[in-house]
Amino acid sequence: MRKIVAVFVMFLVVGSVALLSSCAPKQKTPSVIKFGAAVSLTGKYAREGKFYKDGYLLWEKKVNDSGGIKVNGKSYKVKVIIYDDESNPAKSQKLYEKLVTEDKVNFLVGPYSSGITIPDSSIAEKYKIPMIEGGGASGKIFSRGYKYIFGTLPAAGNYFKNTIEMLHMMTYSSNNSNKVTKVAIVHSDSAFDNAVANGAAHWVKAFGLRLTGVQEYPSGSNDLSSILTTIKKNNPDVILVAGHTHDALLFIRQAKENKVNAKLMAFTVGVQAVDFREALGKDADYMVGVTPWLPSMNFKGEVFGTAAEFAKTFKDAYGYSPDYHAASAVADALTFQHAIAKAGSLDPKKVRDAIASLDVQTMYGEIKFQANGQIAKGQAVIQVQNGKAYPVFPKQIAQKKLLYPAPSWDKR
Amino acid sequence: MFEFQVIINGLLLGGLYALMAIGMSLIWGVTNVINLAHGALIMLGAYTTFWLFKLLNIDPFVSLAISFTTLFVFGFLVQKYIINFVIRAKMFITLLLTFGLDILITNVAQTAWTSNFRQTSPAYSANGFSFGFITVPYVRLSAFIISIILVFALYIFLKKTKTGQAIRAVSQDIDAARLMGINVAKTFALTFAIGSGLAGVAGSMIGVLMPITPQMGGIFTLKSFVVALVGGLGTIFGPLVGGLFLGLAETLGSFHLGAKYADIIVFGILVLTLIVKPTGILGKNDE
């Protein structure tokens, strides 16, 4: 008898504790909107991963300091939960699954690199939680008919479009000295760089220039001398390189070693970054890059003010100047902020629809998405002149004239 | 014409591969530890030279000695106070330990110096001389010569000096060496120190030729591993032969078949070696 009572009491205690604990979170309804991200804080993308983390957290602080986000008259604080994916796509996918199922985040912001974003976007689609990412531009992210993935980097296939258009205008203008006839493309075997190279090859032909060859190398290669020898053989006027920062640095150093002189060398990644220019010193001059964003561009939005003001806020917080990675990370979060306000709800489906039809001005420029979820923004062409990067094309935003042709290595 | 340039580039790259692999091959051959932190040591060498150049304006070739000494001491301490505890354990354990060390060193470096790209850029970097259509960069040529000098210096050290003979004795038979009065623990630590110092020298040169980041080491561990195996484990000239062979195969293969096949060529050679002659090009077949 006593045993039965004891068991009964035990059940009662366990039951009431369980009841209490299940009630507890309900009592304080979350007045926090949770965002989740897995970025690379270690491994080969640690450098870029940090830009995204810093960008997301800067936005979080800015929003919370100014009173949070208002949804239907109720104020919410925001919180961004960030994990380290170790630059590993499989790990990243697991972390996003955890963010959705265990941390119960409301919305997702993206990782860095196309290779990692591709599997992660499937998580967003599977759970119907919108993800806005600023770290992957490969067309493969947006070509699968997904409804819940949005990207703030311009399409990979269009990375060199403006550069090639600029070359086209030089070639077909009246000025005879600046003709471009032959273009060579070099790219790494990553998903993103493949997409850039395919797009670039398309635009070279579309703009009436001649392609002398497309060469591919394994990501993270430590020797590009054979590619450079082939280039020397073909003697192109222009070399377009789609690879990560490491590859761009190595390419320039080895081009100089092998005395490969092109009139123009353009890179997808690197030229925008301060450490890239510092590592190369004077050799960085005349190098051309593309960027969706620079602090000097005349963009302006509600939360951070102008691009320059944003850059200052960022630098004050972290001690280094933001490049387009950090800016696009902040743009991801800003897009959510605008979309939530527009939807007047935290319902993932409603916010998703609000993102799809959004059209706002921000410190990152106009945020408006194409039907496939990728931003409808273009890339400005920039060139390093005396150690600083200036926009040189399109005309509306150019601050300097393109220096062309670049002098040969021995004349610098 | 371009063929010659590719061959020159291949030989120079091979010299660099040899330089990377000497230390790993020595440690592997003597202590039977496959040091997966080898690339991280190369990275430390690269940073040593970079900071000495950047902060004190010390020429990279002068700082070779400093880089060697720093990594020598570092390697000695790592072996004596960490690796030595598991030196007699199964190879799997030492693999795990050095793998962990690699992650640790890389992450400490990342915390200390950030992941920003850096490059040691003395005025003469990337310059070179030309004859006809062929160009030869000074720094790569120097790295090539240094690696040959180091291989021969190591040869003389191991053959002629008492300490060198002790190292060889330990690598042949630990128990017999101990019976002859050789301090095995000290010899292991010394071997690890020399191997690390050589990695430091390799790093110093690589930092002038390639971008420096805390993560740069991974690929060098892998390449050194392949070079050491293909050249012949436990042989003094193995790294040089293996390095030159792989350097040539990689550049010639990339030039004729396309650069995207570079990795396939390198690791294809590794697999072929393991099948056809597991002891490597210079290795003896008698075991």
Side-chain angles (χ1 to χ4, degrees):
Chain A
M1 184 63 198
R2 204 181 262 176
K3 232 180 198 170
I4 295 172
V5 172
V7 169
F8 182 73
V9 170
M10 214 174 74
F11 264 106
L12 213 66
V13 172
V14 170
S16 55
V17 168
L19 204 69
L20 270 176
S21 62
S22 69
C23 280
K26 272 183 204 151
Q27 282 168 348
K28 42 174 181 155
T29 331
S31 54
V32 171
I33 309 176
K34 284 199 278 187
F35 292 80
V39 296
S40 307
L41 299 177
T42 54
K44 64 177 169 177
Y45 296 138
R47 175 176 164 278
E48 289 85 357
K50 183 177 171 4
F51 300 155
Y52 288 84
K53 179 187 164 207
D54 289 349
Y56 295 147
L57 293 181
L58 184 73
W59 171 80
E60 179 192 84
K61 186 168 182 303
K62 181 88 181 173
V63 171
N64 287 339
D65 286 353
S66 55
I69 300 181
K70 274 212 164 68
V71 184
N72 271 337
K74 184 165 184 267
S75 272
Y76 290 85
K77 294 267 174 198
V78 295
K79 167 140 193 61
V80 188
I81 302 173
I82 295 177
Y83 292 122
D84 175 17
D85 67 19
E86 296 163 16
S87 308
N88 175 348
K91 171 114 194 183
S92 181
Q93 202 179 14
K94 270 187 211 136
L95 289 172
Y96 273 101
E97 188 126 30
K98 175 172 151 54
L99 283 164
V100 174
T101 55
E102 287 176 35
D103 299 315
K104 309 263 183 233
V105 297
N106 300 81
F107 304 107
L108 297 171
V109 282
Y112 172 70
S113 87
S114 289
I116 296 180
T117 310
I118 292 169
D120 292 349
S121 58
S122 302
I123 300 295
E125 191 69 14
K126 179 176 163 192
Y127 293 100
K128 306 223 176 304
I129 303 283
M131 174 192 280
I132 304 178
E133 56 90 11
S138 166
K140 284 191 181 144
I141 302 167
F142 305 100
S143 62
R144 293 165 299 171
Y146 284 5
K147 291 272 172 269
Y148 285 82
I149 179 79
F150 296 91
T152 53
L153 288 184
N158 293 339
Y159 255 56
F160 280 129
K161 186 183 167 193
N162 272 340
T163 311
I164 296 163
E165 188 177 350
M166 175 180 81
L167 299 173
H168 163 87
M169 287 169 68
M170 280 158 43
T171 308
Y172 291 94
S173 76
S174 50
N175 187 346
N176 254 339
S177 59
N178 286 347
K179 289 222 181 303
V180 177
T181 48
K182 295 189 282 183
V183 180
I185 296 174
V186 176
H187 69 98
S188 93
D189 59 1
S190 75
F192 168 76
D193 294 321
N194 251 310
V196 172
N198 286 338
H202 164 79
W203 291 116
V204 166
K205 286 175 206 149
F207 280 112
L209 305 173
R210 214 178 103 209
L211 196 62
T212 62
V214 180
Q215 295 193 75
E216 181 177 341
Y217 63 86
S219 285
S221 170
N222 56 25
D223 183 65
L224 301 170
S225 65
S226 292
I227 285 188
L228 284 156
T229 310
T230 307
I231 287 180
K232 212 172 175 180
K233 202 169 111 188
N234 294 338
N235 196 24
D237 302 310
V238 170
I239 310 173
L240 305 175
V241 182
H244 281 274
T245 312
H246 166 273
D247 314 346
L249 282 168
L250 185 63
F251 188 88
I252 294 170
R253 177 57 53 103
Q254 286 201 294
K256 189 177 176 190
E257 281 177 2
N258 285 282
K259 298 199 170 36
V260 171
N261 291 301
K263 292 174 185 162
L264 186 146
M265 291 189 203
F267 302 85
T268 45
V269 177
V271 176
Q272 311 84 355
V274 179
D275 62 339
F276 176 90
R277 302 196 292 268
E278 275 173 2
L280 281 171
K282 274 180 75 69
D283 291 348
D285 279 346
Y286 303 99
M287 296 302 154
V288 169
V290 295
T291 184
W293 184 85
L294 273 181
S296 56
M297 288 178 176
N298 56 347
F299 299 140
K300 195 178 174 185
E302 269 173 35
V303 182
F304 283 98
T306 64
E309 285 161 3
F310 161 74
K312 191 179 176 303
T313 314
F314 191 97
K315 193 170 181 189
D316 289 346
Y318 298 111
Y320 69 96
S321 297
D323 71 352
Y324 77 91
H325 293 100
S328 69
V330 173
D332 298 343
L334 274 177
T335 307
F336 269 121
Q337 193 178 347
H338 285 290
I340 291 168
K342 189 179 170 200
S345 159
L346 291 178
D347 178 61
K349 172 85 174 62
K350 282 183 186 150
V351 171
R352 185 257 152 218
D353 292 342
I355 298 168
S357 61
L358 200 67
D359 187 357
V360 287
Q361 291 295 333
T362 69
M363 56 81 208
Y364 184 70
E366 183 186 32
I367 294 188
K368 186 176 182 220
F369 295 96
Q370 307 172 48
N372 67 357
Q374 197 158 21
I375 200 164
K377 184 181 166 72
Q379 294 266 17
V381 182
I382 56 175
Q383 185 179 38
V384 183
Q385 301 185 2
N386 284 324
K388 282 211 167 98
Y390 299 97
V392 292
F393 188 84
K395 269 219 173 73
Q396 308 86 279
I397 56 158
Q399 291 173 352
K400 294 256 179 182
K401 225 173 121 40
L402 177 81
L403 297 178
Y404 183 95
S408 63
W409 289 111
D410 48 8
K411 294 209 178 76
R412 294 193 185 184
Chain B
M1 181 178 86
F2 291 105
E3 200 76 33
F4 278 122
Q5 179 72 61
V6 175
I7 290 171
I8 296 275
N9 286 344
L11 289 172
L12 294 177
L13 180 67
L16 203 59
Y17 282 168
L19 191 56
M20 283 178 208
I22 304 170
M24 184 181 223
S25 176
L26 176 73
I27 292 171
W28 192 351
V30 174
T31 67
N32 209 25
V33 171
I34 300 178
N35 182 17
L36 293 182
H38 188 70
L41 299 175
I42 291 179
M43 178 270 294
L44 290 179
Y47 272 104
T48 308
T49 297
F50 171 78
W51 287 119
L52 287 172
F53 177 75
K54 169 118 184 165
L55 302 177
L56 304 174
N57 216 2
I58 296 178
D59 187 88
F61 285 97
V62 176
S63 69
L64 281 183
I66 305 173
S67 165
F68 179 86
T69 317
T70 313
L71 270 292
F72 182 93
V73 173
F74 184 79
F76 191 88
L77 297 176
V78 165
Q79 152 66 20
K80 186 159 188 205
Y81 292 107
I82 303 175
I83 297 177
N84 204 31
F85 292 108
V86 296
I87 198 85
R88 288 279 196 146
K90 291 221 166 62
M91 190 178 249
F92 180 66
I93 304 294
T94 54
L95 264 184
L96 266 186
L97 179 63
T98 57
F99 182 62
L101 275 174
D102 178 65
I103 295 176
L104 179 72
I105 296 171
T106 305
N107 281 288
V108 169
Q110 190 184 318
T111 312
W113 303 314
T114 75
S115 295
N116 280 359
F117 285 98
R118 297 196 165 97
Q119 210 156 34
T120 316
S121 302
Y124 53 78
S125 66
N127 286 354
F129 60 86
S130 309
F131 49 93
F133 282 93
I134 311 291
T135 61
V136 180
Y138 296 134
V139 179
R140 279 188 192 260
L141 184 65
S142 311
F144 182 84
I145 294 169
I146 287 171
S147 88
I148 290 175
I149 292 174
L150 284 179
V151 167
F152 278 94
L154 192 65
Y155 175 79
I156 292 167
F157 170 73
L158 290 177
K159 290 276 176 186
K160 305 287 178 197
T161 68
K162 204 151 190 185
T163 327
Q165 285 169 344
I167 290 178
R168 276 167 55 226
V170 170
S171 84
Q172 282 162 9
D173 190 327
I174 292 182
D175 296 317
R178 183 170 284 137
L179 287 174
M180 298 299 126
I182 294 173
N183 184 339
V184 174
K186 203 177 127 198
T187 309
F188 273 181
L190 194 66
T191 307
F192 211 89
I194 295 171
S196 305
L198 292 172
V201 172
S204 298
M205 298 313 310
I206 286 170
V208 188
L209 297 167
M210 298 174 191
I212 306 172
T213 64
Q215 290 83 25
M216 69 192 280
I219 180 102
F220 299 137
T221 304
L222 209 59
K223 285 270 161 81
S224 305
F225 178 86
V226 179
V227 169
L229 258 181
V230 170
L233 263 191
T235 62
I236 299 168
F237 293 100
L240 192 58
V241 173
L244 293 178
F245 182 60
L246 279 170
L248 275 176
E250 192 178 328
T251 49
L252 281 169
S254 302
F255 185 65
H256 290 289
L257 304 174
K260 64 176 157 183
Y261 298 109
D263 282 353
I264 299 176
I265 294 163
V266 168
F267 295 104
I269 288 174
L270 174 66
V271 172
L272 273 182
T273 310
L274 290 175
I275 295 171
V276 178
K277 197 160 183 287
T279 48
I281 298 174
L282 293 185
K284 292 195 185 76
N285 261 338
D286 54 4
E287 283 173 70

